[in-house]
Amino acid sequence: MTSRFPGIVLAMLGCLLALATSAHAKSEIWLTGTFSSLRFNTEGRDLRGVELKIVPTRTGYQGALQIAEGGLSEIMVVDVQLRRNNTIRFNIPVSYPFYGGGTFEGRVDSKGITGDFTFVGVTGNPERLVRGRSYWDTPRRSPDTVDPRGTKGK
């Protein structure tokens, strides 16, 4: 009876290790997707917020970034660096007018990204980008909705 004891212990340890490994794999955060805080501001009749779509590439992750502060920025392509503890960082290339040279550092969780933009050494308010559909994927059906060009939506 004592000869089976080490085998049982090893089998139980193997099972525990397998469970711990699978639990760890399930807790990893999925980095790719669309993260947005873009919202139509009815008072100012314009858009406010940030949208970031992260995709994998051969060399890592890249993001399509758009910032709206009343008016829309152009789409900016950024190289997204994944760091420890689900943190990300990217630099906005200096070639982009107005926002070029800025940086973003944040943390990804299952529901989105929370982080800070820094422009010319000044860090802004924390930004919360919610994981989900793009603002641009939402149908505009209200006749009162104004699109970024200033024309009424359909």
Side-chain angles (χ1 to χ4, degrees):
M1 185 152 128
T2 58
S3 64
R4 284 198 259 171
F5 182 74
I8 293 171
V9 170
L10 285 175
M12 289 179 68
L13 286 174
C15 288
L16 287 173
L17 181 61
L19 284 172
T21 302
S22 68
H24 174 70
K26 289 179 185 174
S27 69
E28 289 181 16
I29 300 298
W30 188 255
L31 178 61
T32 59
T34 300
F35 304 87
S36 184
S37 67
L38 277 182
R39 297 288 176 262
F40 184 73
N41 175 9
T42 55
E43 185 177 309
R45 313 257 330 131
D46 57 13
L47 286 175
R48 301 273 176 196
V50 175
E51 188 159 289
L52 175 67
K53 180 167 187 81
I54 300 175
V55 298
T57 69
R58 283 186 224 171
T59 59
Y61 293 96
Q62 286 189 313
L65 173 69
Q66 188 172 39
I67 300 174
E69 295 182 298
L72 290 169
S73 73
E74 62 189 303
I75 297 294
M76 299 171 274
V77 177
V78 296
D79 292 322
V80 179
Q81 302 164 5
L82 178 60
R83 297 183 169 184
R84 292 184 199 170
N85 300 321
N86 298 322
T87 59
I88 64 168
R89 176 184 167 80
F90 59 81
N91 298 316
I92 303 171
V94 294
S95 59
Y96 290 110
F98 196 69
Y99 297 108
T103 62
F104 178 84
E105 291 190 45
R107 184 175 173 92
V108 181
D109 60 39
S110 63
K111 295 183 180 173
I113 300 172
T114 302
D116 300 302
F117 281 95
T118 301
F119 298 102
V120 195
V122 177
T123 301
N125 294 328
E127 192 73 47
R128 177 68 179 165
L129 308 178
V130 177
R131 182 187 295 272
R133 293 179 59 174
S134 168
Y135 174 85
W136 302 112
D137 292 340
T138 307
R140 309 282 177 253
R141 296 189 182 183
S142 169
D144 297 328
T145 302
V146 176
D147 75 14
R149 298 172 305 232
T151 59
K152 294 219 177 203
K154 295 181 181 178

